Amino acid sequence: MCKSIGFVPTMGALHEGHLALIKASKASCQITVCSIFVNPTQFNDPTDFEKYPVTLAADLEKLEIEGCDVVFFPTVSEMYPDGTSQLRTYDLGTLETILEGKCRPGHFQGVCVVVDKLLQAVQPFKLFMGEKDFQQMAVVQKMLEITGSDVELIPCATVRSPEGLALSSRNARLSSKQKEQALAIYRGFDLLSQAEFTQSLLENGFDSIDYVACADPFTLHEKPYGEKPYIILVAAFLGGVRLIDNKSFL
Ligand code: PAF
């Protein structure tokens, strides 16, 4: 009997956001596979790669409690047996030149390479990804089209702390004071302009802002602030940690 496989790719340091993806997979697939792999080819900043939290033992425990059936945690040489200098590239169009694509050159090529390889290894029926990385979802959908894959991408809502902070593995690098300051992102979504949002982040201790953008939720092309349907996307640094988040207004 062919069992339907649901797949949750992660880079570990698992939190409730990841576990929500596991739950979603378990609810609609017979077997759930989770991968844990801190993918070197998607880090455009070597310091970010070095500082990425690695918590394998705790991750395995969480996945066991959640009832995840299979955990795949390959090594770099298993994923990239021929090295990383001659990898496939994907024509992602403007997705690669706007917002995250613009700020993190090469990042989305690395994401596509690794997700493509993981899908070939796992052969899932459905792929579960979080809406916090909204542009990443659009990029992976495009990669699925380019490769002719029939895997169904299932977007899952961002999981937040009760106060509104989007859960992220990078939050582990924030102090409790910085976690309070980071709430300025959530509050900022309801501000009426890009300038007010930017100013509020700076006033709340953010070091710098990569972008606060209002975009069409389907193409991610920028549009006038507040003209529905739209999505506000933010990327900003707090205490040297890069945080991203978004909210849709449909
Ligand atoms: O979102 C992530 O954690 C990563 O980009 C992913 C999708 C696991 C690919 O390495």
Side-chain angles (χ1 to χ4, degrees):
M1 180 191 159
C2 169
K3 296 199 184 244
S4 69
I5 298 176
F7 178 45
V8 179
T10 80
M11 297 205 296
L14 302 183
H15 51 66
E16 286 299 325
H18 296 113
L19 301 182
L21 303 179
I22 301 286
K23 286 187 180 89
S25 170
K26 282 184 66 73
S28 68
C29 300
Q30 289 166 300
I31 300 276
T32 291
V33 179
C34 175
S35 65
I36 298 178
F37 179 65
V38 185
N39 173 34
T41 67
Q42 71 184 74
F43 283 85
N44 56 311
D45 172 1
T47 317
D48 192 25
F49 177 56
E50 280 153 30
K51 291 195 173 167
Y52 204 85
V54 176
T55 57
L56 186 60
D59 292 347
L60 294 176
E61 205 175 311
K62 286 176 188 167
L63 290 171
E64 185 160 13
I65 292 169
E66 216 49 64
C68 178
D69 301 289
V70 178
V71 187
F72 178 45
F73 47 103
T75 61
V76 172
S77 56
E78 278 168 334
M79 288 303 288
Y80 297 105
D82 303 321
T84 55
S85 54
Q86 295 211 313
L87 298 171
R88 177 172 181 180
T89 56
Y90 304 79
D91 181 2
L92 302 173
T94 54
L95 279 175
E96 208 174 1
T97 56
I98 58 173
L99 305 167
E100 286 299 280
K102 188 173 176 188
C103 297
R104 303 186 65 188
H107 167 63
F108 284 138
Q109 289 297 330
V111 169
C112 286
V113 163
V114 79
V115 175
D116 194 1
K117 281 172 176 282
L118 289 166
L119 291 176
Q120 284 169 38
V122 177
Q123 297 283 317
F125 173 63
K126 291 183 182 180
L127 168 64
F128 295 82
M129 299 187 83
E131 286 179 346
K132 186 177 83 69
D133 295 288
F134 197 86
Q135 192 174 358
Q136 171 171 270
M137 273 189 343
V139 161
V140 169
Q141 183 59 55
K142 176 107 185 164
M143 182 275 284
L144 294 174
E145 283 157 26
I146 292 170
T147 58
S149 166
D150 53 9
V151 172
E152 187 184 354
L153 173 59
I154 312 288
C156 298
T158 302
V159 178
R160 298 180 181 278
S161 72
E163 298 76 26
L165 178 63
L167 300 193
S168 161
S169 304
R170 288 187 177 85
N171 294 354
R173 290 171 52 202
L174 299 175
S175 67
S176 10
K177 182 175 174 216
Q178 287 168 333
K179 282 185 185 148
E180 288 278 314
Q181 293 172 305
L183 291 173
I185 295 186
Y186 186 63
R187 290 194 296 265
F189 287 129
D190 293 319
L191 294 175
L192 296 176
S193 71
Q194 201 171 19
E196 281 174 289
F197 199 158
T198 305
Q199 192 187 338
S200 148
L201 292 177
L202 294 173
E203 281 169 6
N204 279 282
F206 277 76
D207 322 314
S208 63
I209 291 152
D210 269 352
Y211 57 83
V212 169
C214 177
D216 179 287
F218 305 104
T219 62
L220 288 183
H221 290 160
E222 288 203 46
K223 65 186 288 190
Y225 215 87
E227 198 180 273
K228 279 188 177 175
Y230 64 93
I231 178 167
I232 305 291
L233 302 116
V234 183
F237 285 88
L238 178 62
V241 181
R242 190 171 186 276
L243 300 176
I244 64 168
D245 199 354
N246 65 78
K247 184 173 176 184
S248 295
F249 297 79
L250 301 175

